[in-house]
Each structure stands twice: as structure tokens, then as C-alpha cells.
């Protein structure tokens, strides 16, 4: 007679979103060795498997009452290590007037002890809408930051605005030859104007910036991952290898304990990559710790519409966005083919319609071998390109809050003005992609947008910022249903990387997000404020907010620390 296996955890709830259909049922979830051992229902099925049989063997039993047990939420696109380098200093997110930006920078300089010309002032999240129709340049520093070393990252992370003092220190001339089509902005006389477009240009100055210590970076990563877990995330796909010591940082954090969420790392292959670079990225596949592993590759087809570095079929209203990020786009296609032959999934940044078309056709030309390739962002596409995505069998990944936070229904934002009304009306076609049969994973692209999945799931349904019914929705006909939005963080994510997961059923990975309100039946704005009761990663309870709730915190307004 065999001894029944021990059960690590049993969670009771009157609201469990069970199976692929996300059917709401009352009952319990039993967890053993990081897997769901059983989902018991409070109906006739439970009679054959009474709860007592499971709780008697359980090390821990938790009753969450009427809170909803959801499949664990996973962000398809984050930059937790590289992003810390972007999110430095003053947060300018949401500031959309030039004078307000100048005032904020002046206050920051006045309140921060520093030596002019020796210490750096940092800011991030700058929205280019502040420039209106004017040239992007550093004249906004005039009279407030004269002589200062200033480095500001624009909100999309693909451009930086730096001061003349910073350009001089770095020796930037504007004539640099770069491995990508990124470039140094210059004025009518050929003098650098402070704009650095794309990572290769940003690096000209970034390499001179003071850096936090290794231990500080490990500390900050730990805090960030903890905050993500507090918001209900169980995992995220890290789409970069921006810091050369990325794996060392993760290993150091794991020596202190467990990561708060699991990380799937897909290192990027940037323009100019050699065959040796591709082989090095291939050799890195499979490296892992306890809650992180390297699997997949990130490619970059173009830049962004806001900066004029996307790849469009027709120029934007500034006459820009006509080139891919790679000098030779076929080199990117060759890189994708290389990884496909080794059955390594890729996800490719493609924002402009021509970039998306090129990537879709490249994926479609690959011989089928079971490897899933994904297209990232897809901000504006005509019907013909959407059809190419479907024909290619490509998965997709979009960020609803990029639409909701950074574009406007009246087309007065920088993104829409650059595209013109016709193309702006093709904004983030999440509903059309789902209806056509595409896999649509969702995420934040943190630090480009906030990572809280509750707000993003809400914005996917409303096409506006969560909690802002006064804001006119952007192309509301592209709104996802509540179920499709939740699936974008669960089962659709797993399908986008070619794996099964994101459901609550026996045998599935024990990743669970337990929230105060059912995301399928709760109004989106209310769900954006719902409390996270528990976050369970691989069967371990990493966040437990039950005590905070029982101590009198209002469930509808509770905010994780």
C-alpha cells in the first residue's frame, strides 16, 4: 500500500477560475511540489474526493473566502535590470507641458545638492509631446540647467536628451558611425543638439554616467521584484541583456533568498551582431537559477514612432521613420533563421507597419518545426499586414497602456501627429488580432509603462487609463473582453512562448494570483483597484495580504506596499 504524497498547500475559495474555460467554481486547490495536485469543486465531483482527504495531508490550509483564485499573472515584456538604468532620478511621467517640465527640472536642481559641471542630474519618462511641432533639442535646459551634466531618457526608452556639457564630456560630435541606424541629433549647422536616438547613440554618453554599486543594484532588483509580486505578478519575461553582469546580479539576489517572481530571460541580439555573437547567445540558452532561466531571444527590427525611428511604408509627417534599425534587414532575418534552426523561440520588436510586415513574412518563410516566434508592440498596421501576421502563424505581444497613457483619441499626442489620422486610427489592434485568431499576450514593457497588471487588464478593456472615465477611449472598438484581457496575462502568454500553462487544473504549474474581485465580472476600473490577497509562485506563498485586510483596510481601496 502506497503512502499518499504530502500536500504543501490547500487554498479554499468560493470563486476559482477553473480550467481553460475559466469557469468560476467554489472549492479548493491542492498543491504539491510546485504543481496543482487537485482542484476540488463544491458539487457532486467533490464527493469522490472530499476536501478532508486533502487537508489532512496539507502542511498549510488557507481559506480566502470569496476572493477569486486566478491563474498566475505573467507580464510578457519587462526590463527589471536594464530598466533600473533608465528609471533614474526625476520621474517626468505624465508631465505634458514644456513649461511644467522646465519647472520640475529647475526644482530638482535646486533641491539636490550637487556641483555644477561635476555631478549628474537624471530624469526619465519625458513625453515628446512637450515639443509640439518644434525640433526635439536641449534648448529646454536654457536658463535653468546651464552648465549642468544632464541625462534624460524619453518615455519610450529609445532616445535620450542630454545637455551640452554632457555632450562635451563624452566627446560627441554628431559624425559618429554607429552599428545601427540610430543617430545623434544635430542642428542646421551640424552641431549636436542633445538628442540621442536609439541605444547605440545613447551609449555614447551613457558609458560616462556614474553607476550604482553592484550591491545597490541587487538591492533595487529585489525591491522591484517584490513590488511586482505585490501587484499580483508571478513571473515576467525579461527581454534584454542590457547589463553584462545580469546573471551575476540574479545569482547574488538568489544567494539572499528566493526571487519574488520567476524570470524568463530572452537576451537581445542587436544590430551589428556577428556569427560569434549569435553562437554566444545560443550557448547561453538553458542557464538558470532557482527562479530564473534563459530561454529565447529578443530581436529589434526598428525604433519608435515617437522618435521618428520606426520603419514605415510611408514617411511620418516629419518625413521620418523610413529605415529599419538594422542597416541590412536581411541580417535580422538570418539571425531569426539561425535560432529557429536550433528551435529557440524569438520575439522581435516591430512597431512600424513595414517592420511588422517584414518580420511577419520572415516568420512565415521559416519551415515549421514547432518553434513559436512572436512580434512585439505592433502599434499601427493596415489590414494587409494583419493578414500577414495571421498567415505567418506569428504570436503577438502588445502593451495596452502604451495606447491608453501615451496616445489620445483626438490625435493631439506626438505619436498620432507623426502618423496622421489614418494610421493613428489603426492603433494597437488588440481586438482585431484576437478575432482573427492570433495569440495576443499582454504586458507593460516596464519601465516604459507601470507594471501593475490590474491596471493594464483594465485598460485593455477600456482603451483609456484605469480610473479615468473622463478620458475619451482610444479606438474603443479594439477593446478586449474581460476574458481575453485576463488570458493575455495567463494562457495566451504561455502560448506566445510555445508552451502550455496559465490555467488552474490538476497537473498545472502552481502559479496563482488571488484577488479580491473576479476579473471576469468586475467593472474594469474597480478591478484595477482590487486587492491582491495572495501571490503564489511555484506553490510558494510569496505575498500574503490577508492580515492587512482583516485589520480594517477597505478591500476596494487596498493598495499593496
Amino acid at each position: 500500500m502506497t503512502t499518499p504524497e504530502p500536500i504543501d498547500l490547500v487554498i479554499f475559495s468560493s470563486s476559482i477560475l477553473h480550467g481553460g474555460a475559466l469557469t468560476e467554481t467554489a472549492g479548493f486547490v491542492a498543491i504539491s511540489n510546485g504543481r496543482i495536485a487537485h482542484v476540488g469543486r463544491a458539487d457532486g465531483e467533490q464527493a469522490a474526493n472530499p476536501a478532508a482527504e486533502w487537508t489532512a495531508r496539507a502542511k498549510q490550509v488557507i481559506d480566502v473566502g470569496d476572493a477569486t483564485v486566478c491563474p498566475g499573472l505573467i507580464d510578457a515584456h519587462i526590463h527589471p535590470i536594464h530598466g533600473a538604468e533608465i528609471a533614474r532620478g526625476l520621474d517626468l511621467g505624465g508631465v505634458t507641458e514644456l513649461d511644467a517640465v522646465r519647472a520640475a527640472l529647475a526644482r530638482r536642481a535646486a533641491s539636490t545638492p550637487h556641483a555644477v559641471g561635476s555631478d549628474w542630474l537624471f530624469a526619465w519618462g519625458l513625453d515628446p509631446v512637450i515639443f509640439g511641432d518644434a525640433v526635439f533639442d536641449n534648448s529646454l535646459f536654457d536658463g535653468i540647467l546651464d552648465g549642468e551634466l544632464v541625462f534624460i531618457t524619453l518615455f519610450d526608452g529609445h532616445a535620450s536628451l542630454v545637455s551640452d556639457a554632457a555632450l562635451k564630456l563624452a566627446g560627441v560630435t554628431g559624425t559618429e558611425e554607429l552599428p545601427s541606424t540610430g543617430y545623434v541629433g544635430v542642428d542646421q549647422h551640424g552641431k549636436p543638439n542633445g538628442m540621442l536616438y536609439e541605444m547605440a547613440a545613447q551609449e555614447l554618453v551613457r558609458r560616462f554616467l556614474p553607476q550604482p554599486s553592484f550591491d545597490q543594484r541587487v538591492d533595487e532588483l529585489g525591491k522591484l521584484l517584490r513590488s511586482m509580486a505585490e501587484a499580483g505578478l508571478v513571473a515576467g519575461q525579461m527581454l534584454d541583456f542590457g547589463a553584462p553582469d545580469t546573471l551575476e546580479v540574479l545569482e547574488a539576489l538568489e544567494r539572499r533568498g528566493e526571487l519574488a517572481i520567476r524570470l524568463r530571460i530572452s537576451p537581445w541580439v542587436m544590430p551589428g551582431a556577428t556569427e560569434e555573437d549569435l553562437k554566444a547567445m545560443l550557448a547561453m540558452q538553458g542557464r538558470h537559477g532557482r527562479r530564473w532561466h534563459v530561454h529565447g531571444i529578443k530581436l529589434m527590427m526598428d525604433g519608435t514612432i515617437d522618435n521618428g525611428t520606426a520603419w514605415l511604408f510611408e514617411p511620418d509627417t516629419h518625413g521620418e521613420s523610413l529605415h529599419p534599425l538594422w542597416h541590412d534587414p536581411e541580417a535580422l532575418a538570418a539571425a531569426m533563421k539561425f535560432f529557429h534552426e536550433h528551435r529557440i523561440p524569438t520575439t522581435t520588436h516591430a512597431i512600424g507597419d513595414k517592420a511588422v510586415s517584414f518580420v511577419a513574412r520572415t516568420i512565415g518563410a521559416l519551415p515549421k518545426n514547432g518553434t513559436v516566434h512572436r512580434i512585439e508592440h505592433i502599434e499601427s498596421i493596415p489590414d494587409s499586414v494583419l493578414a500577414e501576421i495571421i498567415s505567418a502563424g506569428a504570436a503577438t505581444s502588445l502593451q495596452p497602456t502604451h495606447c491608453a497613457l501615451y496616445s489620445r483619441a483626438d490625435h493631439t499626442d506626438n505619436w498620432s501627429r507623426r502618423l496622421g489620422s489614418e494610421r493613428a486610427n489603426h492603433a494597437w489592434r488588440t481586438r482585431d488580432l484576437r478575432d482573427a485568431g492570433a495569440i495576443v499576450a499582454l504586458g507593460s514593457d516596464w519601465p516604459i509603462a507601470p507594471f501593475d497588471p490590474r491596471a493594464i487588464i483594465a485598460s485593455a478593456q477600456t482603451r483609456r487609463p484605469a480610473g479615468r472615465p473622463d478620458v475619451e477611449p482610444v479606438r474603443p472598438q479594439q477593446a478586449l473582453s474581460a476574458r481575453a484581457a485576463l488570458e493575455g496575462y495567463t494562457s495566451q502568454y504561455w502560448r506566445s512562448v510555445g508552451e502550455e500553462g496559465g490555467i488552474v487544473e490538476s497537473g498545472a504549474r502552481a502559479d496563482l494570483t488571488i484577488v479580491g474581485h473576479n476579473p471576469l465580472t468586475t467593472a474594469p476600473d474597480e478591478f484595477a483597484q482590487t486587492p491582491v490577497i495572495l501571490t503564489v509562485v511555484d506553490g510558494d506563498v510569496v505575498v500574503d495580504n490577508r492580515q492587512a485586510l482583516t485589520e480594517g483596510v477597505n478591500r476596494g481601496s487596498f493598495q499593496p506596499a
Side-chain angles (χ1 to χ4, degrees):
M1 183 176 180
T2 59
T3 302
E5 67 175 332
I7 299 299
D8 298 313
L9 173 66
V10 174
I11 299 173
F12 284 89
S13 173
S14 63
S15 176
I16 300 170
L17 301 184
H18 176 243
L22 295 172
T23 303
E24 185 176 23
T25 184
F28 66 92
V29 179
I31 295 169
S32 178
N33 294 321
R35 293 280 170 179
I36 296 176
H38 183 69
V39 180
R41 300 197 297 272
D43 55 23
E45 190 269 348
Q46 187 179 341
N49 296 279
E53 293 184 10
W54 299 91
T55 57
R57 315 201 310 262
K59 298 176 183 176
Q60 184 179 17
V61 177
I62 296 175
D63 189 336
V64 297
D66 61 356
T68 298
V69 178
C70 303
L73 304 180
I74 299 176
D75 193 316
H77 190 147
I78 57 174
H79 301 282
I81 298 178
H82 175 63
E85 187 175 359
I86 293 173
R88 298 180 69 176
L90 176 65
D91 183 358
L92 293 171
V95 185
T96 57
E97 300 294 335
L98 179 63
D99 288 345
V101 169
R102 281 175 53 85
L105 291 171
R107 288 194 299 271
R108 181 73 171 194
S111 63
T112 306
H114 66 283
V116 175
S118 299
D119 296 326
W120 288 83
L121 294 176
F122 294 98
W124 63 291
L126 181 67
D127 191 331
V129 73
I130 68 164
F131 294 109
D133 292 323
V135 174
F136 296 5
D137 64 25
N138 62 14
S139 61
L140 71 89
F141 301 153
D142 292 350
I144 58 170
L145 297 175
D146 297 326
E148 299 274 16
L149 293 170
V150 185
F151 192 98
I152 300 178
T153 304
L154 273 65
F155 80 83
D156 60 11
H158 281 252
S160 295
L161 181 65
V162 304
S163 61
D164 288 341
L167 293 169
K168 182 178 179 180
L169 175 68
V172 176
T173 65
T175 61
E176 289 80 6
E177 293 186 8
L178 302 176
S180 76
T181 55
Y183 64 98
V184 175
V186 297
D187 63 17
Q188 65 270 30
H189 305 296
K191 177 185 175 184
N193 65 9
M195 285 299 302
L196 304 173
Y197 294 97
E198 298 303 327
M199 297 175 196
Q202 291 171 291
E203 186 59 27
L204 296 173
V205 175
R206 194 182 294 280
R207 64 187 181 217
F208 290 90
L209 302 180
Q211 298 297 324
S213 70
F214 182 84
D215 285 342
Q216 287 174 323
R217 293 169 57 221
V218 174
D219 289 343
E220 289 304 311
L221 177 63
K223 293 175 184 176
L224 174 63
L225 298 185
R226 168 56 53 179
S227 295
M228 289 180 168
E230 291 280 357
L233 289 172
V234 302
Q237 187 169 0
M238 177 176 144
L239 296 178
D240 70 72
F241 207 75
D245 60 353
T246 287
L247 301 189
E248 288 80 2
V249 170
L250 289 168
E251 288 167 345
L253 186 56
E254 279 200 325
R255 283 194 292 271
R256 302 181 182 182
E258 299 295 353
L259 303 188
I261 69 171
R262 199 170 53 251
L263 291 177
R264 178 192 184 104
I265 304 167
S266 297
W268 57 25
V269 172
M270 300 300 286
T274 64
E275 183 177 355
E276 289 71 26
D277 293 329
L278 302 187
K279 290 179 179 178
M281 290 298 101
L282 180 63
M284 189 177 292
Q285 302 296 310
R287 289 194 60 176
H288 66 91
R290 295 190 299 275
R291 280 193 182 154
W292 61 268
H293 71 289
V294 178
H295 191 52
I297 289 292
K298 166 78 175 296
L299 297 165
M300 300 277 291
M301 187 72 258
D302 65 348
T304 66
I305 288 166
D306 277 289
N307 292 318
T309 55
W311 192 19
L312 300 171
F313 283 113
E314 300 294 334
D316 66 15
T317 57
H318 292 217
E320 298 177 336
S321 280
L322 284 174
H323 304 285
L325 202 56
W326 294 60
H327 291 298
D328 176 13
E330 292 299 331
L332 180 143
M336 186 183 294
K337 180 180 179 182
F338 172 86
F339 291 111
H340 179 80
E341 290 172 346
H342 289 88
R343 288 178 165 76
I344 303 299
T346 66
T347 187
T348 303
H349 169 120
I351 282 181
D353 50 15
K354 192 169 184 178
V356 177
S357 174
F358 182 92
V359 175
R361 287 184 285 108
T362 299
I363 292 171
L366 297 172
K368 304 304 179 187
N369 66 2
T371 306
V372 175
H373 299 283
R374 195 171 82 194
I375 307 176
E376 206 73 29
H377 300 308
I378 313 178
E379 292 187 355
S380 173
I381 52 170
D383 290 345
S384 59
V385 176
L386 192 150
E388 288 178 329
I389 294 171
I390 303 304
S391 176
T396 70
S397 171
L398 287 86
Q399 298 75 40
T401 44
H402 291 198
C403 171
L405 297 177
Y406 305 133
S407 67
R408 300 173 183 168
D410 63 4
H411 295 170
T412 57
D413 59 285
N414 179 65
W415 183 91
S416 299
R417 289 204 314 267
R418 276 188 172 268
L419 283 180
S421 291
E422 180 180 354
R423 289 182 291 190
N425 283 335
H426 291 150
W428 287 272
R429 298 178 66 178
T430 47
R431 179 64 176 267
D432 287 345
L433 285 163
R434 274 300 301 259
D435 287 351
I439 297 167
V440 180
L442 301 179
S444 65
D445 197 6
W446 188 88
I448 309 309
F451 56 73
D452 194 318
R454 296 164 296 180
I456 297 172
I457 288 171
S459 289
Q461 299 172 69
T462 63
R463 303 283 291 192
R464 57 166 174 76
R468 293 292 308 276
D470 56 307
V471 175
E472 184 180 357
V474 177
R475 306 298 292 171
Q477 58 268 51
Q478 292 299 328
L480 291 176
S481 67
R483 174 173 171 170
L486 179 61
E487 288 174 339
Y489 266 87
T490 56
S491 57
Q492 289 278 296
Y493 166 76
W494 284 105
R495 292 183 63 197
S496 82
V497 295
E499 300 177 26
E500 295 298 322
I503 57 176
V504 180
E505 67 177 15
S506 296
R509 194 170 207 153
D511 289 342
L512 303 171
T513 302
I514 294 89
V515 289
H517 300 83
N518 186 339
L520 302 184
T521 58
T522 304
D525 287 335
E526 184 179 3
F527 179 71
Q529 295 294 319
T530 195
V532 173
I533 313 299
L534 300 175
T535 304
V536 180
V537 179
D538 291 327
D540 294 331
V541 177
V542 298
V543 172
D544 186 346
N545 285 319
R546 290 174 297 155
Q547 182 176 353
L549 294 175
T550 58
E551 288 175 351
V553 180
N554 182 276
R555 289 183 63 170
S557 61
F558 174 70
Q559 292 292 306

